[in-house]
């Protein structure tokens, strides 16, 4: 197992910090394989977490193909939840490309399911879930949101101030405690 991502802290969160890993390193990390102390996590669902990462990879490779290289993942996937519902994340992009629809168009040209949209009207309910989900969630169980510096994400802090994704995604939704985040980096081919 790779040591690039540390064990969970005492609150069950990824320790504060940014952990840069390749997809291969992510698959071999605690976030997929589980904590070293398996007695404390007898129902750790490594096969489900691996399935999520396989689907994440499809989306991440599409982002890389259109020139997006700053991609971060978090959510309950970076916590000690045995079976997280999904993987959440964000990526840094250019405002003009996002506003013009060019980014969404380019991504949908690559994806056979045409899942790339952040239009609230495209959200659909899913049995047993309190909120409707985006098409990407229904197909891949992954939600990746575009981030443009200086723009809020709709998530507020304890004082009601809207946060940007980099700040919002570094806090646990269950209790607001700070936690780490994972940055994905492309593997380098050594031909």
């Amino acid at each position: 197992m790779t040591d690039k991502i540390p064990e969970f802290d005492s609150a069950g969160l990824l320790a504060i910090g940014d952990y840069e890993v390749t997809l291969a390193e992510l698959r071999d990390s605690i976030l997929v394989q589980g904590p070293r102390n398996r007695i404390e996590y007898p129902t750790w669902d490594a096969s489900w977490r691996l399935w999520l990462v396989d689907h994440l990879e499809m989306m991440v490779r599409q982002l890389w193909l259109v020139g997006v290289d700053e991609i971060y993942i978090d959510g309950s996937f970076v916590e000690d939840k045995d079976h997280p519902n999904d993987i959440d994340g964000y990526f840094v992009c250019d405002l003009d490309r996002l506003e013009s629809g060019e980014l969404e168009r380019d991504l949908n040209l690559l994806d056979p399911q045409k899942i790339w949209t952040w239009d609230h009207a495209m959200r659909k309910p899913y049995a047993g879930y309190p909120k409707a989900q985006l098409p990407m969630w229904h197909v891949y169980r992954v939600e990746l949101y575009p981030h443009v510096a200086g723009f809020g994400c709709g998530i507020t802090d304890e004082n009601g101030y809207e946060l940007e994704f980099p700040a919002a995604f570094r806090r646990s939704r269950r209790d607001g405690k700070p936690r780490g985040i994972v940055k994905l980096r492309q593997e380098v081919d050594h031909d």
Side-chain angles (χ1 to χ4, degrees):
M1 188 164 17
T2 183
D3 290 88
K4 293 200 174 210
I5 298 177
E7 292 284 323
F8 298 113
D9 67 15
S10 60
L13 305 174
L14 182 60
I16 297 170
D18 288 26
Y19 302 96
E20 190 170 330
V21 297
T22 65
L23 288 161
E25 291 166 337
L26 178 61
R27 283 184 175 89
D28 193 39
S29 76
I30 182 179
L31 298 179
V32 173
Q33 300 303 317
R36 294 192 198 291
N37 184 352
R38 297 307 285 236
I39 294 169
E40 289 183 35
Y41 298 92
T43 59
W44 188 265
D45 198 345
S47 61
W48 170 251
R49 284 173 166 266
L50 182 59
W51 184 87
L52 288 172
V53 171
D54 289 344
H55 286 91
L56 170 70
E57 180 176 10
M58 289 185 247
M59 296 176 69
V60 166
R61 291 200 180 278
Q62 292 169 11
L63 287 165
W64 286 337
L65 284 170
V66 300
V68 173
D69 59 1
E70 283 188 69
I71 305 166
Y72 299 85
I73 61 168
D74 76 325
S76 60
F77 188 79
V78 302
E79 297 181 2
D80 68 354
K81 187 174 183 180
D82 291 354
H83 186 92
N85 294 326
D86 55 22
I87 295 177
D88 298 307
Y90 73 93
F91 58 91
V92 178
C93 66
D94 176 77
L95 178 61
D96 292 336
R97 216 168 153 204
L98 180 63
E99 279 188 331
S100 70
E102 176 189 340
L103 179 63
E104 187 175 317
R105 183 197 69 227
D106 291 350
L107 287 166
N108 281 321
L109 287 171
L110 296 171
D111 190 85
Q113 304 291 324
K114 312 297 183 224
I115 54 90
W116 290 101
T117 182
W118 301 277
D119 181 351
H120 190 73
M122 297 301 293
R123 289 181 175 270
K124 303 283 185 249
Y126 187 80
Y129 283 74
K131 72 172 188 154
Q133 304 289 345
L134 290 170
M136 66 181 72
W137 187 93
H138 285 277
V139 173
Y140 296 118
R141 291 297 279 264
V142 175
E143 284 187 320
L144 297 176
Y145 292 93
H147 170 66
V148 175
F151 287 85
C153 67
I155 300 171
T156 56
D157 67 12
E158 62 277 1
N159 299 312
Y161 295 107
E162 188 172 8
L163 300 170
E164 291 186 31
F165 279 122
F169 277 37
R170 285 173 173 80
R171 293 184 167 272
S172 173
R173 284 194 196 155
R174 65 183 176 195
D175 57 16
K177 289 185 178 178
R179 67 168 177 218
I181 195 165
V182 174
K183 181 178 182 184
L184 298 173
R185 90 175 130 72
Q186 295 185 55
E187 292 89 355
V188 178
D189 291 331
H190 297 287
D191 294 340

